[in-house]
RNA sequence: GGAGAGAUGGCCGAGCGGUCGAAGGCGGCGCCCUGCUAAGGCGUUAUACGGGCUUAAACCCGUAUCGAGGGUUCGAAUCCCUCUCUCUCCGCCA
């Protein structure tokens, strides 16, 4: 099996040739995105690498010729001392240049891995979330018969959410679900997985929740965002921040068969995030936790079909909310608000009555070839005919959905004046027929 | 955790210091033969990067790649070191 520890070698996000040929165009496009890339240094390094590579290849050619000469002379029982001395010198020159080259490639690779993806042409330009464009809304705003309570008020009153004990056993930003709350979370997971596998054509995956450094690098979490991740102290394992990481890496360093595309996976996993830098934000409730559950959708698609696939995948995530009867809207993220690896992203935002706000419950992105290049995921047609190129696939993923936030939306949108919560129809058989959650 | 074995092309498998990008087989592709099929014959069959070239293909030249990274040597698939992974046995464990 191939090992992608070779990341610090030659597999690089931006193909250096493409980067060199389109340097100014890329620089300009990423500038609008707010990328902090040391462009001039990058350009210098690329040129240096090119020069040194040429030199070293020429010398190696010389060395090869010389060594063959030595072999020939020895076979003929002639003295090869002169050639050997000359080649020793060539060998040393090669080594010197190689050392230089190695240092340059190391910095170059590191810089390169920190360059974000190029936004797709259809992405609106903008600085932050305020510049995102609403694409559509679904369903009516819920008409509540009393002032909306927050989900933590509802949940604690019902005895199904316990933040005090979560703080005791773990700390801030953790939650304990009990009784009908725990069951509702489980029901949601099953409902989502069942819908995606039976109606939307995804294959279910249950991946590892810890992954290695290569996997994190492939999907773009590393090297730039290590501080967002939980990492084991004694071994180089990271807790996954999303199932995107293990599931996309399923096909790392593989060449897929063209006719098999698109390949679609869905996975339930817990997700772990340090949430460094979000102090003071969403400190109460289930919205922002160090550990939360998510059902993820991942797709590997042919480049000319990936935007179609993005629409489809987003629709699959929306279908969950529609099934649950929850009002939501879809927004197209602007250049400044997109994640590092994405070329285009739709956020699905569900309505939360207690905040009178839409809150993100899913994020669906097309990464185009960005992750595929880092991860070495290619495809070709299986005919065995000559002349076909193996190309990088496009990868996509989206939450389908964030389970905890879905539970929040249910508690808040289906709360009743008496403090109970009605369970949406589609979940009832997963809840053993329960129709509403009442105080026990 | 302890002891041992191993990693070579799409697959199987040889090679253990030069003539090796790598024998042989299988598979794939092309042509031939054959009424069809089967069998058979001949040939061909890795990838990446750089250059020849102003665009694309073809072709040619160069370099790299035998799990990964370093080292020894004029020369490494072959020798040495480190790491990763796989397998077997023992221990531990859900």
């Amino acid at each position: 099996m191939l090992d992608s520890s070779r990341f610090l070698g030659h597999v690089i996000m931006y193909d250096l040739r493409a980067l060199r040929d389109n340097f100014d165009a890329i620089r300009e496009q990423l500038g609008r995105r707010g990328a902090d890339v040391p462009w001039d240094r990058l350009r210098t390094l690329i040129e240096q690498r090119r020069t040194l590579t040429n030199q070293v290849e020429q010398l190696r050619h010389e060395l090869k010729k010389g060594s063959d000469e030595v072999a020939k002379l020895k076979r003929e029982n002639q003295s090869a001392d002169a050639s050997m001395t000359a080649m020793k010198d060539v060998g040393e020159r090669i080594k010197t240049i190689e050392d230089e080259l190695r240092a340059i490639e190391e910095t170059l690779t590191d810089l390169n891995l920190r360059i974000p993806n190029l936004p797709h042409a259809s992405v609106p330009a903008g600085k932050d979330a305020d510049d995102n464009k609403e694409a559509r809304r679904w369903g009516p705003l819920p008409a509540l018969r009393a002032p909306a309570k927050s989900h933590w008020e509802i949940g604690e009153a019902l005895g199904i959410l316990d933040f005090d004990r979560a703080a005791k056993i773990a700390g801030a930003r953790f939650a304990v679900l009990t009784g009908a709350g725990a069951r509702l979370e489980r029901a949601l997971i099953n409902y989502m997985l069942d819908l995606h596998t039976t109606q939307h054509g995804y294959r279910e995956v249950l991946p590892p929740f810890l992954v290695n450094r290569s996997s994190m690098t492939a999907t773009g979490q590393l090297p730039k965002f290590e501080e967002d991740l939980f990492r084991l102290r004694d071994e180089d394992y990271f807790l996954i921040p999303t199932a995107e990481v293990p599931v996309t890496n399923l096909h790392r360093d593989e060449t897929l068969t063209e006719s098999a595309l698109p390949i679609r996976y869905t996975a339930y996993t817990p997700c772990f995030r340090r949430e460094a830098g979000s102090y003071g934000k969403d400190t109460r409730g289930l919205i922002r936790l160090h550990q939360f559950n998510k059902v993820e959708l991942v797709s590997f698609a042919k480049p000319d079909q990936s935007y179609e696939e993005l629409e489809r995948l987003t629709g699959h995530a929306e279908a969950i909310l529609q099934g649950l009867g929850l009002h939501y809207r879809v927004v197209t993220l602007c250049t400044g608000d997109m994640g590092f690896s994405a070329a285009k992203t739709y956020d699905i935002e569900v309505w939360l009555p207690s905040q009178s706000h839409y809150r993100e419950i899913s994020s669906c992105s097309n990464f185009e070839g960005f992750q595929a290049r880092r991860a070495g995921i290619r495809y070709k047609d299986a005919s065995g005919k000559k002349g076909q190129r193996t190309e990088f696939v496009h990868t996509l993923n989206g939450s389908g959905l964030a389970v905890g936030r879905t539970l929040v939306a249910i508690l808040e949108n289906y709360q009743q004046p008496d403090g109970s919560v009605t369970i949406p129809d589609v979940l009832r058989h997963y809840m053993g027929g329960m129709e509403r959650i009442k105080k026990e």
Side-chain angles (χ1 to χ4, degrees):
Chain A
M1 220 45 232
L2 289 165
D3 172 35
S4 290
S5 51
R6 64 197 169 88
F7 269 132
L8 298 177
H10 356 314
V11 177
I12 303 185
M13 184 269 130
Y14 277 89
D15 176 63
L16 285 181
R17 175 76 179 275
L19 187 56
R20 180 160 59 90
D21 290 348
N22 307 292
F23 197 88
D24 291 317
I26 290 174
R27 174 184 196 160
E28 197 207 306
Q29 279 194 68
L30 286 176
R32 287 194 295 124
R33 217 192 139 140
D36 49 341
V37 178
W39 293 105
D40 295 328
R41 184 146 170 254
L42 191 65
R43 198 200 300 257
T44 312
L45 286 170
I46 291 173
E47 286 315 318
Q48 282 177 346
R49 186 188 103 100
R50 192 168 132 80
T51 313
L52 292 177
T53 304
N54 284 342
Q55 283 177 17
V56 95
E57 287 191 354
Q58 220 166 322
L59 285 172
R60 275 203 276 251
H61 179 55
E62 212 176 299
L63 182 73
K64 248 182 160 175
K65 283 258 161 63
S67 301
D68 287 349
E69 181 70 20
V70 171
K72 197 174 143 214
L73 290 171
K74 292 211 162 171
R75 237 179 292 127
E76 291 164 359
N77 280 320
Q78 297 183 44
S79 163
D81 291 355
S83 298
M84 280 168 66
T85 317
M87 286 311 110
K88 193 174 175 72
D89 180 55
V90 172
E92 269 153 24
R93 279 158 66 203
I94 290 174
K95 217 155 276 181
T96 312
I97 299 175
E98 276 178 343
D99 287 343
E100 216 176 318
L101 199 53
R102 196 172 302 140
I104 284 173
E105 287 198 328
E106 213 169 286
T107 20
L108 194 53
T109 302
D110 185 66
L111 285 182
N112 201 346
L113 285 170
R114 291 166 191 271
I115 306 175
N117 200 1
L118 287 169
H120 185 256
S122 67
V123 172
K127 252 186 80 182
D128 52 36
D130 294 335
D131 298 321
N132 295 342
K133 292 264 183 303
E134 183 171 305
R136 58 184 167 273
R137 293 184 185 202
W138 183 90
L141 276 172
L144 296 184
R145 277 169 289 173
K149 285 194 219 138
S150 68
H151 68 276
W152 60 84
E153 291 172 300
I154 300 164
E156 286 184 321
L158 287 171
I160 61 172
L161 286 183
D162 190 339
F163 293 101
D164 294 339
R165 289 196 175 97
K168 173 172 68 182
I169 60 181
R173 293 205 188 285
F174 286 93
V176 172
L177 304 186
T178 56
R183 184 150 190 190
L184 182 57
E185 180 95 358
R186 181 158 56 90
L188 281 167
I189 294 166
N190 286 329
Y191 164 60
M192 292 176 192
L193 287 173
D194 285 349
L195 195 72
H196 295 316
T197 53
T198 66
Q199 305 299 308
H200 300 153
Y202 291 75
R203 182 172 172 80
E204 186 172 344
V205 181
L206 184 59
F209 303 157
L210 270 61
V211 300
N212 57 32
R213 187 169 283 275
S214 296
S215 295
M216 284 292 187
T217 308
T219 36
Q221 281 73 23
L222 291 178
K224 214 176 163 185
F225 305 101
E226 184 153 356
E227 66 280 3
D228 297 339
L229 301 169
F230 284 109
R231 180 183 162 191
L232 297 207
R233 194 193 60 194
D234 295 326
E235 296 187 76
D236 212 18
Y237 286 131
F238 297 85
L239 276 68
I240 56 169
T242 159
E244 160 193 350
V245 178
V247 178
T248 305
N249 275 280
L250 231 37
H251 293 301
R252 171 148 53 87
D253 294 323
E254 291 183 18
T255 301
L256 306 171
T257 309
E258 182 174 7
S259 58
L261 299 175
I263 297 174
R264 302 191 178 107
Y265 294 113
T266 183
Y268 152 72
T269 71
C271 303
F272 304 91
R273 299 185 183 177
R274 300 235 352 249
E275 296 296 345
S278 67
Y279 302 107
K281 264 195 260 174
D282 305 312
T283 48
R284 296 198 66 177
L286 295 172
I287 293 291
R288 192 177 296 275
L289 299 175
H290 286 309
Q291 176 189 325
F292 63 96
N293 293 310
K294 184 156 60 66
V295 169
E296 187 76 358
L297 304 171
V298 174
S299 180
F300 302 82
K302 282 170 66 175
D304 61 343
Q305 292 170 358
S306 68
Y307 279 94
E308 223 175 286
E309 184 70 1
L310 176 63
E311 299 301 322
R312 202 175 292 126
L313 185 146
T314 307
H316 295 151
E318 288 177 63
I320 300 291
L321 287 170
Q322 292 170 9
L324 294 168
L326 292 167
H327 173 62
Y328 67 86
R329 65 172 189 170
V330 178
V331 300
T332 309
L333 297 195
C334 72
T335 49
D337 201 31
M338 277 200 304
F340 177 78
S341 304
K344 180 169 186 174
T345 300
Y346 291 118
D347 272 7
I348 302 173
E349 300 178 339
V350 72
W351 178 256
L352 293 188
S354 76
Q355 303 182 1
S356 292
H357 249 106
Y358 291 97
R359 288 304 302 252
E360 177 186 342
I361 197 165
S362 171
S363 193
C364 302
S365 304
N366 185 357
F367 301 88
E368 296 190 6
F370 184 91
Q371 295 178 327
R373 218 169 288 116
R374 289 173 161 239
I377 309 172
R378 295 157 225 262
Y379 75 95
K380 70 172 174 194
D381 109 57
S383 70
K385 290 224 163 61
K386 275 197 75 176
Q388 47 168 327
R389 292 183 72 80
T390 53
E391 291 186 73
F392 291 109
V393 299
H394 281 189
T395 60
L396 303 95
N397 68 58
S399 351
L401 305 163
V403 180
R405 288 188 179 184
T406 309
L407 188 137
V408 166
I410 289 171
L411 293 185
E412 295 204 359
N413 284 285
Y414 287 99
Q415 60 181 298
Q416 303 300 317
D418 67 357
S420 69
V421 172
T422 310
I423 296 170
D425 286 344
V426 291
L427 295 179
R428 288 183 186 173
H429 96 265
Y430 292 104
M431 297 289 287
M434 193 187 292
E435 293 178 9
R436 71 174 48 216
I437 301 174
K438 297 190 273 260
K439 187 160 172 64
E440 289 163 25

